[in-house]
Amino acid sequence: KPLCPSELQALEKKLPLAIGQPEGAILKGKIKKDTAMIFALLGTLYLYQQDFDRAKENYEKSLSFSPFNPHALWGKGEIYFYQKNYPLARRTFQKVITIRPMMDRALLGLGKIAARQGNYQKALEKFQKAVEIGEKWRIKAYKDPAPYLWLSWIYQKMGLKEKAEDYRKKAEAITPDWQKFVWDEELKELTKGFPSNEPANQREDE
């Protein structure tokens, strides 16, 4: 199941021994798959704190135990995205989708790349697919407001204000204090708009 900030907030309370403990304490009594998942979760906690170095370190540890862990790969894709390494971010998100086709946050990542590069139609398609998957596969307690917010943003950019407002309300219906569940960099872009589009020579066809 894809991870979202609200899930991680709950998980942080369930894994206190994993935070700040020696590596041996994390590994004790765990099979490789469980160990890989714990490191992936730790990586994502650091990702949402924008501590990219510690996030990457934990994702790499996760992948050393399970090379195709989709959560660790997704996290690395997010790091590449915020480092503006869009070709590598795209390849990483696409690899995640190959492993886990229903991972909505990997589709969201591809949409963010398209939006950052000014391809709003492609971004719209990815965001819509992410919402569709989330509505079909996520139970109510684990609904993620982020895809709805990105759809709201893209409709606003396309001048479709009524649709933008509809999806903003859907995000608020999931959690009224959605700001707490979308990490700062995303929230800044959603509320203030994207930076200037990247140069065309950085674009790649998906």
Side-chain angles (χ1 to χ4, degrees), residues 98-111:
T98 299
I99 297 168
R100 185 75 61 82
M102 294 293 104
M103 193 162 185
D104 50 354
R105 291 190 73 80
L107 283 164
L108 190 66
L110 290 173

mmCIF file with all atom_site columns, all heavy atoms in Angstrom, residues 98-111:
data_model
loop_
_atom_site.group_PDB
_atom_site.id
_atom_site.type_symbol
_atom_site.label_atom_id
_atom_site.label_alt_id
_atom_site.label_comp_id
_atom_site.label_asym_id
_atom_site.label_entity_id
_atom_site.label_seq_id
_atom_site.pdbx_PDB_ins_code
_atom_site.Cartn_x
_atom_site.Cartn_y
_atom_site.Cartn_z
_atom_site.occupancy
_atom_site.B_iso_or_equiv
_atom_site.pdbx_formal_charge
_atom_site.auth_seq_id
_atom_site.auth_comp_id
_atom_site.auth_asym_id
_atom_site.auth_atom_id
_atom_site.pdbx_PDB_model_num
ATOM 1   N N   . THR A 1 98  ? 6.354  -0.016 -12.638 1.00 0.00 ? 98  THR A N   1
ATOM 2   C CA  . THR A 1 98  ? 6.556  -1.350 -13.200 1.00 0.00 ? 98  THR A CA  1
ATOM 3   C C   . THR A 1 98  ? 6.436  -2.414 -12.099 1.00 0.00 ? 98  THR A C   1
ATOM 4   O O   . THR A 1 98  ? 5.855  -3.485 -12.312 1.00 0.00 ? 98  THR A O   1
ATOM 5   C CB  . THR A 1 98  ? 7.946  -1.455 -13.861 1.00 0.00 ? 98  THR A CB  1
ATOM 6   O OG1 . THR A 1 98  ? 8.023  -0.504 -14.929 1.00 0.00 ? 98  THR A OG1 1
ATOM 7   C CG2 . THR A 1 98  ? 8.174  -2.853 -14.433 1.00 0.00 ? 98  THR A CG2 1
ATOM 8   N N   . ILE A 1 99  ? 6.982  -2.102 -10.931 1.00 0.00 ? 99  ILE A N   1
ATOM 9   C CA  . ILE A 1 99  ? 6.944  -3.033 -9.794  1.00 0.00 ? 99  ILE A CA  1
ATOM 10  C C   . ILE A 1 99  ? 5.565  -3.035 -9.138  1.00 0.00 ? 99  ILE A C   1
ATOM 11  O O   . ILE A 1 99  ? 5.032  -4.091 -8.795  1.00 0.00 ? 99  ILE A O   1
ATOM 12  C CB  . ILE A 1 99  ? 8.015  -2.650 -8.760  1.00 0.00 ? 99  ILE A CB  1
ATOM 13  C CG1 . ILE A 1 99  ? 9.407  -2.771 -9.372  1.00 0.00 ? 99  ILE A CG1 1
ATOM 14  C CG2 . ILE A 1 99  ? 7.910  -3.526 -7.505  1.00 0.00 ? 99  ILE A CG2 1
ATOM 15  C CD1 . ILE A 1 99  ? 10.497 -2.141 -8.531  1.00 0.00 ? 99  ILE A CD1 1
ATOM 16  N N   . ARG A 1 100 ? 5.000  -1.847 -8.953  1.00 0.00 ? 100 ARG A N   1
ATOM 17  C CA  . ARG A 1 100 ? 3.720  -1.689 -8.246  1.00 0.00 ? 100 ARG A CA  1
ATOM 18  C C   . ARG A 1 100 ? 2.821  -0.742 -9.058  1.00 0.00 ? 100 ARG A C   1
ATOM 19  O O   . ARG A 1 100 ? 2.802  0.458  -8.816  1.00 0.00 ? 100 ARG A O   1
ATOM 20  C CB  . ARG A 1 100 ? 3.985  -1.135 -6.847  1.00 0.00 ? 100 ARG A CB  1
ATOM 21  C CG  . ARG A 1 100 ? 2.779  -1.032 -5.941  1.00 0.00 ? 100 ARG A CG  1
ATOM 22  C CD  . ARG A 1 100 ? 2.330  -2.364 -5.406  1.00 0.00 ? 100 ARG A CD  1
ATOM 23  N NE  . ARG A 1 100 ? 3.341  -3.024 -4.611  1.00 0.00 ? 100 ARG A NE  1
ATOM 24  C CZ  . ARG A 1 100 ? 3.590  -2.762 -3.312  1.00 0.00 ? 100 ARG A CZ  1
ATOM 25  N NH1 . ARG A 1 100 ? 2.905  -1.841 -2.678  1.00 0.00 ? 100 ARG A NH1 1
ATOM 26  N NH2 . ARG A 1 100 ? 4.509  -3.453 -2.665  1.00 0.00 ? 100 ARG A NH2 1
ATOM 27  N N   . PRO A 1 101 ? 2.094  -1.281 -10.057 1.00 0.00 ? 101 PRO A N   1
ATOM 28  C CA  . PRO A 1 101 ? 1.305  -0.421 -10.950 1.00 0.00 ? 101 PRO A CA  1
ATOM 29  C C   . PRO A 1 101 ? 0.274  0.454  -10.243 1.00 0.00 ? 101 PRO A C   1
ATOM 30  O O   . PRO A 1 101 ? -0.089 1.515  -10.749 1.00 0.00 ? 101 PRO A O   1
ATOM 31  C CB  . PRO A 1 101 ? 0.614  -1.436 -11.877 1.00 0.00 ? 101 PRO A CB  1
ATOM 32  C CG  . PRO A 1 101 ? 1.491  -2.636 -11.852 1.00 0.00 ? 101 PRO A CG  1
ATOM 33  C CD  . PRO A 1 101 ? 2.036  -2.693 -10.454 1.00 0.00 ? 101 PRO A CD  1
ATOM 34  N N   . MET A 1 102 ? -0.200 0.030  -9.075  1.00 0.00 ? 102 MET A N   1
ATOM 35  C CA  . MET A 1 102 ? -1.229 0.776  -8.367  1.00 0.00 ? 102 MET A CA  1
ATOM 36  C C   . MET A 1 102 ? -0.665 1.752  -7.341  1.00 0.00 ? 102 MET A C   1
ATOM 37  O O   . MET A 1 102 ? -1.386 2.218  -6.456  1.00 0.00 ? 102 MET A O   1
ATOM 38  C CB  . MET A 1 102 ? -2.191 -0.187 -7.669  1.00 0.00 ? 102 MET A CB  1
ATOM 39  C CG  . MET A 1 102 ? -3.006 -1.046 -8.603  1.00 0.00 ? 102 MET A CG  1
ATOM 40  S SD  . MET A 1 102 ? -4.204 -0.103 -9.608  1.00 0.00 ? 102 MET A SD  1
ATOM 41  C CE  . MET A 1 102 ? -3.361 -0.104 -11.205 1.00 0.00 ? 102 MET A CE  1
ATOM 42  N N   . MET A 1 103 ? 0.618  2.088  -7.423  1.00 0.00 ? 103 MET A N   1
ATOM 43  C CA  . MET A 1 103 ? 1.209  3.020  -6.454  1.00 0.00 ? 103 MET A CA  1
ATOM 44  C C   . MET A 1 103 ? 0.933  4.447  -6.907  1.00 0.00 ? 103 MET A C   1
ATOM 45  O O   . MET A 1 103 ? 1.627  5.021  -7.755  1.00 0.00 ? 103 MET A O   1
ATOM 46  C CB  . MET A 1 103 ? 2.699  2.778  -6.285  1.00 0.00 ? 103 MET A CB  1
ATOM 47  C CG  . MET A 1 103 ? 3.279  3.509  -5.082  1.00 0.00 ? 103 MET A CG  1
ATOM 48  S SD  . MET A 1 103 ? 4.883  2.822  -4.590  1.00 0.00 ? 103 MET A SD  1
ATOM 49  C CE  . MET A 1 103 ? 5.199  3.767  -3.096  1.00 0.00 ? 103 MET A CE  1
ATOM 50  N N   . ASP A 1 104 ? -0.107 5.025  -6.327  1.00 0.00 ? 104 ASP A N   1
ATOM 51  C CA  . ASP A 1 104 ? -0.582 6.322  -6.780  1.00 0.00 ? 104 ASP A CA  1
ATOM 52  C C   . ASP A 1 104 ? 0.445  7.432  -6.618  1.00 0.00 ? 104 ASP A C   1
ATOM 53  O O   . ASP A 1 104 ? 0.515  8.353  -7.438  1.00 0.00 ? 104 ASP A O   1
ATOM 54  C CB  . ASP A 1 104 ? -1.894 6.701  -6.082  1.00 0.00 ? 104 ASP A CB  1
ATOM 55  C CG  . ASP A 1 104 ? -1.863 6.552  -4.572  1.00 0.00 ? 104 ASP A CG  1
ATOM 56  O OD1 . ASP A 1 104 ? -0.857 6.048  -4.034  1.00 0.00 ? 104 ASP A OD1 1
ATOM 57  O OD2 . ASP A 1 104 ? -2.854 6.945  -3.926  1.00 0.00 ? 104 ASP A OD2 1
ATOM 58  N N   . ARG A 1 105 ? 1.291  7.364  -5.600  1.00 0.00 ? 105 ARG A N   1
ATOM 59  C CA  . ARG A 1 105 ? 2.241  8.458  -5.390  1.00 0.00 ? 105 ARG A CA  1
ATOM 60  C C   . ARG A 1 105 ? 3.370  8.456  -6.410  1.00 0.00 ? 105 ARG A C   1
ATOM 61  O O   . ARG A 1 105 ? 3.996  9.486  -6.633  1.00 0.00 ? 105 ARG A O   1
ATOM 62  C CB  . ARG A 1 105 ? 2.766  8.426  -3.954  1.00 0.00 ? 105 ARG A CB  1
ATOM 63  C CG  . ARG A 1 105 ? 1.681  8.792  -2.957  1.00 0.00 ? 105 ARG A CG  1
ATOM 64  C CD  . ARG A 1 105 ? 2.199  9.009  -1.565  1.00 0.00 ? 105 ARG A CD  1
ATOM 65  N NE  . ARG A 1 105 ? 2.933  10.253 -1.418  1.00 0.00 ? 105 ARG A NE  1
ATOM 66  C CZ  . ARG A 1 105 ? 2.375  11.447 -1.271  1.00 0.00 ? 105 ARG A CZ  1
ATOM 67  N NH1 . ARG A 1 105 ? 1.069  11.569 -1.272  1.00 0.00 ? 105 ARG A NH1 1
ATOM 68  N NH2 . ARG A 1 105 ? 3.113  12.520 -1.119  1.00 0.00 ? 105 ARG A NH2 1
ATOM 69  N N   . ALA A 1 106 ? 3.623  7.323  -7.047  1.00 0.00 ? 106 ALA A N   1
ATOM 70  C CA  . ALA A 1 106 ? 4.593  7.315  -8.147  1.00 0.00 ? 106 ALA A CA  1
ATOM 71  C C   . ALA A 1 106 ? 3.996  8.021  -9.367  1.00 0.00 ? 106 ALA A C   1
ATOM 72  O O   . ALA A 1 106 ? 4.685  8.784  -10.059 1.00 0.00 ? 106 ALA A O   1
ATOM 73  C CB  . ALA A 1 106 ? 4.987  5.884  -8.503  1.00 0.00 ? 106 ALA A CB  1
ATOM 74  N N   . LEU A 1 107 ? 2.714  7.790  -9.634  1.00 0.00 ? 107 LEU A N   1
ATOM 75  C CA  . LEU A 1 107 ? 2.039  8.520  -10.704 1.00 0.00 ? 107 LEU A CA  1
ATOM 76  C C   . LEU A 1 107 ? 1.988  10.008 -10.394 1.00 0.00 ? 107 LEU A C   1
ATOM 77  O O   . LEU A 1 107 ? 2.162  10.851 -11.277 1.00 0.00 ? 107 LEU A O   1
ATOM 78  C CB  . LEU A 1 107 ? 0.614  7.983  -10.888 1.00 0.00 ? 107 LEU A CB  1
ATOM 79  C CG  . LEU A 1 107 ? 0.501  6.660  -11.640 1.00 0.00 ? 107 LEU A CG  1
ATOM 80  C CD1 . LEU A 1 107 ? -0.871 6.040  -11.428 1.00 0.00 ? 107 LEU A CD1 1
ATOM 81  C CD2 . LEU A 1 107 ? 0.760  6.870  -13.125 1.00 0.00 ? 107 LEU A CD2 1
ATOM 82  N N   . LEU A 1 108 ? 1.766  10.327 -9.127  1.00 0.00 ? 108 LEU A N   1
ATOM 83  C CA  . LEU A 1 108 ? 1.776  11.726 -8.713  1.00 0.00 ? 108 LEU A CA  1
ATOM 84  C C   . LEU A 1 108 ? 3.137  12.357 -9.001  1.00 0.00 ? 108 LEU A C   1
ATOM 85  O O   . LEU A 1 108 ? 3.230  13.505 -9.460  1.00 0.00 ? 108 LEU A O   1
ATOM 86  C CB  . LEU A 1 108 ? 1.452  11.811 -7.223  1.00 0.00 ? 108 LEU A CB  1
ATOM 87  C CG  . LEU A 1 108 ? 1.179  13.186 -6.631  1.00 0.00 ? 108 LEU A CG  1
ATOM 88  C CD1 . LEU A 1 108 ? -0.093 13.776 -7.204  1.00 0.00 ? 108 LEU A CD1 1
ATOM 89  C CD2 . LEU A 1 108 ? 1.079  13.101 -5.115  1.00 0.00 ? 108 LEU A CD2 1
ATOM 90  N N   . GLY A 1 109 ? 4.211  11.588 -8.753  1.00 0.00 ? 109 GLY A N   1
ATOM 91  C CA  . GLY A 1 109 ? 5.550  12.089 -9.042  1.00 0.00 ? 109 GLY A CA  1
ATOM 92  C C   . GLY A 1 109 ? 5.747  12.395 -10.511 1.00 0.00 ? 109 GLY A C   1
ATOM 93  O O   . GLY A 1 109 ? 6.311  13.439 -10.879 1.00 0.00 ? 109 GLY A O   1
ATOM 94  N N   . LEU A 1 110 ? 5.265  11.506 -11.380 1.00 0.00 ? 110 LEU A N   1
ATOM 95  C CA  . LEU A 1 110 ? 5.367  11.758 -12.819 1.00 0.00 ? 110 LEU A CA  1
ATOM 96  C C   . LEU A 1 110 ? 4.563  12.995 -13.210 1.00 0.00 ? 110 LEU A C   1
ATOM 97  O O   . LEU A 1 110 ? 4.987  13.776 -14.072 1.00 0.00 ? 110 LEU A O   1
ATOM 98  C CB  . LEU A 1 110 ? 4.879  10.537 -13.598 1.00 0.00 ? 110 LEU A CB  1
ATOM 99  C CG  . LEU A 1 110 ? 5.765  9.295  -13.539 1.00 0.00 ? 110 LEU A CG  1
ATOM 100 C CD1 . LEU A 1 110 ? 5.069  8.110  -14.219 1.00 0.00 ? 110 LEU A CD1 1
ATOM 101 C CD2 . LEU A 1 110 ? 7.116  9.555  -14.198 1.00 0.00 ? 110 LEU A CD2 1
ATOM 102 N N   . GLY A 1 111 ? 3.414  13.173 -12.569 1.00 0.00 ? 111 GLY A N   1
ATOM 103 C CA  . GLY A 1 111 ? 2.617  14.364 -12.853 1.00 0.00 ? 111 GLY A CA  1
ATOM 104 C C   . GLY A 1 111 ? 3.313  15.637 -12.427 1.00 0.00 ? 111 GLY A C   1
ATOM 105 O O   . GLY A 1 111 ? 3.262  16.656 -13.130 1.00 0.00 ? 111 GLY A O   1
#
